[in-house]
Amino acid sequence: MIGIIIGESPAIHELNQMIRRVAATKTNILVIGESGTGKELVARKIHESGALKDFPFVPVNCGAIPENLIESEMFGHQKGSFTGAVSEKQGLFEVAHRGTLFLDEVGELSLAMQVKLLRAIQERVFKRVGGITDIRVDVRIIAATNRDLEAAVKNGTFREDLYYRLNVILIKTPPLRERKTDIPLLAHHFLKKLIAKTSKTIDGFDDEALTSIQNYSWPGNVRELENCIDRAITLESGSKISEDSLPPRVQEASQILTNSKAGQQGQDKGDKKEIRLPYPDFSKGPLNLDEVLSSVEKIYVEAVLHYTDGNKKKSADLLGITLRSLRYRMSKMGLGPADKD
Ligand SMILES: Nc1ncnc2c1ncn2[C@@H]1O[C@H](COP(=O)(O)OP(=O)(O)OP(=O)(O)O)[C@@H](O)[C@H]1O
Ligand SMILES: [Mg+2]
């Protein structure tokens, strides 16, 4: 049994619905998504929820098998067909007979291998390396990639005919930064799952840690989150995961939204706090400028309301904006309705 797909975001509901719809069919499926977004999980889920579940699910990492071995891995070989072929061997196509062949990182296949794969998928027969008899198989293909295959087709590194064979149904696994509401659910899920393998008792996250986890952009998606929780469990000595147990890059994310700990660091600084922003790192994919600016706006609005004991007129004056504008901003940031007091 594989784990369930955790998430309450519309994107995950849609994904689950799609999985249910395609599980009953035998159509080829292409799963695309960034690294760590759950492509293999989706493929296994489709297999296990459908009619093929009693037959094998056979994963092949097309990017990890050396070019000179991949044909024999996929289609098998006869004894003595090449140096090292000491005995007859079944290929993964045969192993997957009546089940699912999961072609992971399909975008890494060479053009020569793409031709052979296309023929096997189209005609449902192939020959082993060094073999003369046709072998007939019945497999469902689920392929996955984090590459832009359409671009690869355009620049000639991926065959168009194979692309259309694989892409009968396209499923996209959404990146974590586009479904931020799933982050705490996943964090708690991994904490529960991973803590069970240890003798520790950690029953949650403290507020700061959770804020950082939620604000971080997770370029490595769910896999990076899982690894981060694993690491935190190892390092944590308290009963809740604290910010100090998180990797520095994740800790830095909290500084976008929360005031720094300057106030706690020394009495001499009084309660004057500073807002520190991480220097933007464009190598990690697109930032969301509006989100960054809204979070700064929210810190200022909360601070002025605190300073004026909630007096909106004074607050608006101190911010140099109109009362109407302050009300509008407050309602937008969920700090109460756009009321008229
Ligand atoms: N929605 C989810 N709920 C629970 N676990 C998830 C979810 N998405 C991914 N995972 C877990 O995250 C890890 C990474 O998922 P998976 O290997 O399927 O990603 P992938 O897209 O194939 O990644 P890669 O491109 O790196 O191969 C796995 O341990 C998987 O079980
Ligand atoms: Mg994978």
Side-chain angles (χ1 to χ4, degrees):
M1 250 313 273
I2 53 152
I4 52 166
I5 298 184
I6 305 287
E8 286 295 334
S9 60
I12 290 295
H13 279 297
E14 219 173 280
L15 186 67
N16 276 319
Q17 206 175 10
M18 191 67 169
I19 290 172
R20 276 195 297 275
R21 280 168 62 192
V22 298
T25 72
K26 282 176 73 178
T27 340
N28 292 344
I29 293 172
L30 180 64
V31 186
I32 60 171
E34 286 175 23
S35 153
T37 47
K39 296 184 293 295
E40 178 155 359
L41 181 64
V42 166
R44 288 182 185 274
K45 193 86 194 166
I46 292 170
H47 176 82
E48 291 201 358
S49 341
L52 310 182
K53 65 173 184 295
D54 298 326
F55 298 101
F57 176 90
V58 180
V60 196
N61 188 335
C62 303
I65 305 172
E67 180 62 24
N68 60 334
L69 291 182
I70 194 154
E71 184 179 357
S72 106
E73 278 295 314
M74 287 225 201
F75 303 120
H77 59 247
Q78 295 304 113
K79 186 176 172 178
S81 54
F82 57 89
T83 323
V86 287
S87 58
E88 179 183 283
K89 186 176 174 251
Q90 267 198 340
L92 297 170
F93 259 87
E94 274 175 85
V95 177
H97 183 49
R98 303 184 72 191
T100 303
L101 185 64
F102 175 54
L103 300 177
D104 203 2
E105 297 186 32
V106 74
E108 308 303 314
L109 285 178
S110 68
L111 282 165
M113 203 46 218
Q114 291 174 32
V115 178
K116 292 178 177 145
L117 179 62
L118 177 69
R119 199 176 321 125
I121 296 177
Q122 234 162 5
E123 293 161 21
R124 295 168 179 275
V125 305
F126 58 86
K127 291 184 175 67
R128 286 184 180 164
V129 176
I132 46 167
T133 43
D134 278 343
I135 297 177
R136 194 159 286 279
V137 289
D138 178 20
V139 292
R140 164 188 237 171
I141 306 282
I142 303 183
T145 181
N146 52 23
R147 284 253 205 122
D148 183 348
L149 275 195
E150 254 175 73
V153 167
K154 282 200 189 100
N155 71 30
T157 53
F158 203 84
R159 289 185 66 103
E160 190 172 18
D161 43 12
L162 179 59
Y163 176 66
Y164 287 113
R165 273 284 157 184
L166 299 174
N167 181 12
V168 179
I169 289 188
L170 183 68
I171 296 184
K172 290 187 185 172
T173 49
L176 209 42
R177 65 178 174 281
E178 286 176 14
R179 46 186 176 107
K180 281 189 175 270
T181 51
D182 290 339
I183 294 174
L185 294 176
L186 282 159
H188 283 100
H189 163 76
F190 289 129
L191 175 59
K192 212 171 139 189
K193 182 181 119 181
L194 297 168
I195 200 78
K197 295 181 186 158
T198 73
S199 54
K200 289 191 164 180
T201 41
I202 300 173
D203 62 1
F205 299 82
D206 73 18
D207 290 348
E208 275 188 333
L210 207 55
T211 306
S212 301
I213 288 172
Q214 230 172 333
N215 291 339
Y216 181 59
S217 62
W218 300 107
N221 294 293
V222 185
R223 185 192 305 289
E224 185 186 8
L225 176 60
E226 184 170 8
N227 292 340
C228 161
I229 306 294
D230 200 9
R231 174 187 191 275
I233 290 173
T234 309
L235 297 181
E236 186 56 59
S237 49
S239 65
K240 299 225 182 283
I241 301 283
S242 62
E243 201 173 29
D244 290 343
S245 306
L246 302 175
R249 63 183 188 284
V250 180
Q251 290 187 29
E252 278 162 24
S254 74
Q255 290 161 9
I256 295 181
L257 279 185
T258 56
N259 297 342
S260 82
K261 298 176 195 164
Q264 299 162 17
Q265 279 164 6
Q267 290 304 316
D268 54 330
K269 289 193 174 175
D271 64 2
K272 256 192 204 149
K273 295 175 179 175
E274 58 182 10
I275 299 166
R276 283 187 291 145
L277 291 171
Y279 193 78
D281 181 357
F282 300 108
S283 69
K284 289 184 179 159
L287 300 175
N288 187 333
L289 184 61
D290 285 338
E291 216 169 78
V292 176
L293 297 179
S294 316
S295 49
V296 174
E297 187 182 10
K298 188 166 180 196
I299 292 169
Y300 272 75
V301 169
E302 282 175 341
V304 78
L305 287 167
H306 180 69
Y307 184 76
T308 63
D309 287 325
N311 185 318
K312 289 180 196 161
K313 177 73 184 82
K314 260 195 218 164
S315 296
D317 289 345
L318 287 171
L319 289 172
I321 58 177
T322 62
L323 182 56
R324 190 186 157 85
S325 165
L326 176 64
R327 283 202 188 107
Y328 172 71
R329 285 164 205 261
M330 284 174 65
S331 77
K332 220 175 48 176
M333 52 186 76
L335 296 174
D339 56 5
K340 293 236 156 50
D341 69 326

